[in-house]
């Protein structure tokens, strides 16, 4: 990782949810109303079996990035939305035995320095599942480039989530994720 003043480690996301959502708001462009809604969603997700979170913190303790996820469960809302898209593409088996990256966000001042890469590889390294899945806005972006460099491939595109203005892509990768040579 090139961001020398940042440390990656487990984070009590429930205790730091407001710090995390502040990072997400800047990185992802959330409104105050969206932050309120997402706060409840994050806290609910953290109650799922196997949920874990990692943070990127500066020497002063400021949270500048975070990732959280959990083993996928087909009864979860996200799985229900993406299942028809994956089924139509012949990739529905990715919903089983997969670790879902629920959120990954890095403050723009720390993007492009390896923080996101370190966060996602750290959390997936702790999984005993054979693969990982995630969803990302379906556009060419630095995030999608990062995911591809880690072995994620498109499993479905133009996935529409209720209330999301833009379509998403569902991506999957075998674990462990590859490292840079």
């Amino acid at each position: 990782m090139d961001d020398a003043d940042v440390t990656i480690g487990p984070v009590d996301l429930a205790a730091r949810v407001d710090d995390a959502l502040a990072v997400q708001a800047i990185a992802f462009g959330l409104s105050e109303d969206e932050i309120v809604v997402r706060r409840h969603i994050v806290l609910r997700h953290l109650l799922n079996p196997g949920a874990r979170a990692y943070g990127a913190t500066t020497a002063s303790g400021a949270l500048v990035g975070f990732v959280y996820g959990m083993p996928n469960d087909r009864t979860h809302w996200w799985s229900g939305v993406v299942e028809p898209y994956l089924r139509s593409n012949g990739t529905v088996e990715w919903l089983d035995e997969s670790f879902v990256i629920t959120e990954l966000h890095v403050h723009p001042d720390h993007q492009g320095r390896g923080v996101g890469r370190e966060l996602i590889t750290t959390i997936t390294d702790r999984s005993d599942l054979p693969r990982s899945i995630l969803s990302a806005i379906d556009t060419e972006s630095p995030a999608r480039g990062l995911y591809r460099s880690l072995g994620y491939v498109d499993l479905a595109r133009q996935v529409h989530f209720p209330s999301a203005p833009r379509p998403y892509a569902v991506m999957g990768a075998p674990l462990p994720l590859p490292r840079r040579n």
Side-chain angles (χ1 to χ4, degrees):
M1 184 171 67
D2 300 329
D3 208 331
D5 69 330
V6 172
T7 302
I8 305 298
V11 66
D12 180 350
L13 195 55
R16 300 213 55 191
V17 67
D18 294 323
D19 296 337
L21 289 172
V23 170
Q24 186 175 358
I26 293 167
F28 202 61
L30 299 180
S31 70
E32 288 296 322
D33 290 341
E34 290 171 312
I35 291 170
V36 170
V37 170
R38 288 188 183 241
R39 186 177 200 282
H40 296 289
I41 292 169
V42 170
L43 293 174
R44 186 178 70 239
H45 282 160
L46 295 174
L47 299 175
N48 286 302
R52 62 180 72 97
Y54 288 83
T57 54
T58 64
S60 66
L63 189 70
V64 297
F66 73 99
V67 63
Y68 81 92
M70 65 202 79
N72 192 52
D73 182 330
R74 284 194 185 220
T75 66
H76 292 162
W77 174 85
W78 182 85
S79 287
V81 173
V82 303
E83 183 173 4
Y85 294 93
L86 296 177
R87 187 171 305 287
S88 71
N89 288 347
T91 55
V92 74
E93 72 279 357
W94 278 84
L95 291 175
D96 300 318
E97 297 188 65
S98 291
F99 187 83
V100 179
I101 301 300
T102 308
E103 298 287 350
L104 169 63
H105 299 284
V106 176
H107 189 285
D109 292 347
H110 293 270
Q111 291 177 4
R113 300 179 186 182
V115 175
R117 176 180 299 277
E118 185 78 11
L119 284 165
I120 195 169
T121 56
T122 298
I123 197 169
T124 57
D125 280 354
R126 293 349 183 244
S127 174
D128 59 357
L129 296 169
R131 54 190 164 203
S132 173
I133 54 176
L134 56 80
S135 55
I137 294 174
D138 194 0
T139 185
E140 293 311 310
S141 66
R144 296 274 313 276
L146 168 64
Y147 301 144
R148 283 193 193 97
S149 75
L150 291 165
Y152 286 88
V153 297
D154 291 341
L155 303 174
R157 298 195 61 193
Q158 296 297 302
V159 175
H160 295 274
F161 289 99
S163 79
R166 297 182 281 183
Y168 280 69
V170 176
M171 303 177 78
L175 294 180
L177 298 176
R179 301 307 195 267
R180 287 184 174 162
N181 296 331

